[in-house]
Amino acid sequence: MTQEIRVPDIGDFDAVEVIEICVVEGDTVGVDDALVVIESDKASMEIPAGAAGTVNAIRVSVGDQVKEGDVIALISAATAETAAESPDEPAADGVAAGSNDADEVATAAVAAKDDQPTQRSEANSSTPASGGEVEIRVPDIGDAADVEVIEVAVAAGDEVGASDLLVVVESDKASMEIPAGQAGTVSAVHVTVGDPVAEDSLLVTLKLAAGAAAPPPAAVDDMDESSGIEESAQSVTGEAAPVRGPGAASTGSVQMEYQPDGKVYAGPAVRRLARELGVDLTGVIASGSRGRIVKDDVKSFVKSAMTQPAQTVTGGIPAIPEIDHAKFGPVEVAPLSRIRAAGAANLHRSWLNVPHVTQLEEADVTELEEFRRSLKAEAVRREVKVTPLSFIVKACCHALKAFPSFNASLDTTVKSLTLKHYYHIGFAVDTDEGLVVPVIRDADQLGIWELSQAITELAEKARTQSLDMNDMRGGSFSISSLGGIGGTGFTPIINAPEVAILGVSRLATKPIWDGSAFVPRQILPLSLSYDHRAINGAEAGRFLAALRELLADIRRLAL
Ligand code: CAO
């Protein structure tokens, strides 16, 4: 039976924006699996499937404005057979998917936006105690039942800032992160994980930092009764970032890097899965948009930890010493954006796990450039910009077909190579928020105009932060082009689990000996980094030679 999944009661908000689509048509989902994430000016909320089944249709797109009752997706309910195949997914449990009783469907994972710190602290329920201390209590949680502490993020003695997370509680409807609300030092923590709590339960006592004023008790009473979860939503931090990555192992265990703030951005279903598997979410690298941790991230984390070979050398990676740079002159601390932090963790993971080799080549693209220039007038008419990158993507697809081991992934036990029969080419885009890698799907099926269009559109989406998860996953090979910026060569880091990446630098006119004289030719520097476990040097040399030939004579791309 097909059921309509609708936007639940979203409190005071008339229209909220869809910021993420978490599934694609055909996906099998469990009751708690998020379908979409919506975001108002105050909070974001995951809308779960509410019933196990298959996604038949998605009725919204990223950027759409939706309101209570709007249809998000159609789900055909799982048969008894398929339900039995996923015993770990709880049954619908009386929750009517497609029901208009939004409260029933709304397992809201709420997260305040980064730019709402003051609202977060206002929403926090704190009461003054003696001696410059405040008591942080559970805020109004509406009619939520079975509220439990699922994370305690601080210990007595910890110094916290106003937006720092103290405790995460979870009810039958939502998970709520409760921040400090004010800067200070934690004097006492009154709960532990698993404790049942209710509105006004004492969580933490905080000694206020000098100069910070305790809020008047009225602040709690002033809270709007009806706002319940939504008001509490403001107390949820969305500042999480992917943090530690498995990879640097010492004495047989997986050693992680911690994000200094140690916060996570994940919905209740993901938190529940992490608890079941004993995964500390602060160690999981997020792949969801804006640094949200999704279920697959938790699974990858576990898989990676389980397949980490036992470490035979002790000592691990020596830590870089913490230095007080201010001792040497004025400094300023700039926090990394979530995208940059996620990128840093991914790059570190790849760098530590993959034995990289980078091989260099130069391609004579004189004729390619001549042809590209000849397209200029038509490009203006078509309103598309044709850069060397479109030709490079096209040439890579040809080379990848000839050398399938470059369009592949190694399995985690390094026993087999999965050769992909699709050519989804990722390309690095430099944005103000950091590096992102959107993917051109089936790039081998596209002509130069279409590739140029796809590159322009995806780069624009990347720069306006409107890529959704589908735009960024499933890549089989990546290109990092710094040609528009400069440089004569670099060693790109592989976008694991892919096994190779092509770096492109700025083309230059060089004198080339043609047998009788030096002639000016336009030379494009290429640098191919590859996973030496999957590809050997001779193969890489042949791949680059093929690419060089294709770029030198683009008529070959038509063969
Ligand atoms: N040599 C010389 N000029 C080049 C060139 C090259 N290899 N590649 C592009 N150019 C030119 C273009 O033709 C364009 O010139 P015009 O404006 O005169 O036509 C100009 O440089 C700017 O190109 P572009 O950057 O707008 O377009 P692109 O298709 O080459 O690249 C994109 C698109 C999104 C890949 C790029 O803008 C970008 O973000 N690059 C950075 C990628 C990055 O940061 N990589 C590092 C990752 S760390 O490993």
Side-chain angles (χ1 to χ4, degrees), residues 230-241:
E230 285 76 31
E231 275 296 315
S232 305
Q234 296 176 351
S235 71
V236 177
T237 176
E239 288 172 22

Side-chain angles (χ1 to χ4, degrees), residues 347 369 372 376 385-390 392 427-431 435 455 459 463 479-485 490-493 501 504-508 524-525:
L347 292 168
E369 278 296 277
R372 189 175 72 87
K376 241 187 183 142
K385 185 166 148 186
V386 182
T387 67
L389 186 56
S390 312
I392 295 165
F427 65 102
V429 181
D430 176 40
T431 78
L435 195 68
I455 292 167
R463 290 186 173 127
I479 299 175
S480 175
S481 173
L482 286 170
I485 300 167
F490 65 106
T491 56
I493 296 179
I501 181 170
V504 180
S505 297
R506 191 167 187 78
L507 67 86
L524 180 71

Side-chain angles (χ1 to χ4, degrees), residues 522-539:
Q522 293 201 276
I523 305 298
L524 180 71
L526 303 171
S527 35
L528 177 78
S529 292
Y530 56 92
D531 182 338
H532 210 347
R533 298 169 304 171
I535 295 164
N536 63 39
E539 281 176 291

Side-chain angles (χ1 to χ4, degrees), residues 289-304:
S289 70
R290 305 178 191 208
R292 233 177 94 261
I293 296 174
V294 297
K295 274 188 174 176
D296 279 349
D297 300 331
V298 177
K299 290 177 190 164
S300 303
F301 178 88
V302 172
K303 205 167 165 191
S304 174

Side-chain angles (χ1 to χ4, degrees), residues 413-454:
T413 57
V414 198
K415 292 214 166 71
S416 64
L417 201 56
T418 301
L419 304 167
K420 297 162 194 174
H421 294 162
Y422 51 82
Y423 300 87
H424 299 338
I425 309 297
F427 65 102
V429 181
D430 176 40
T431 78
D432 291 344
E433 295 294 307
L435 195 68
V436 285
V437 186
V439 172
I440 309 169
R441 300 223 111 63
D442 298 313
D444 61 316
Q445 312 287 319
L446 305 180
I448 295 298
W449 295 119
E450 294 163 312
L451 284 170
S452 304
Q453 188 76 39

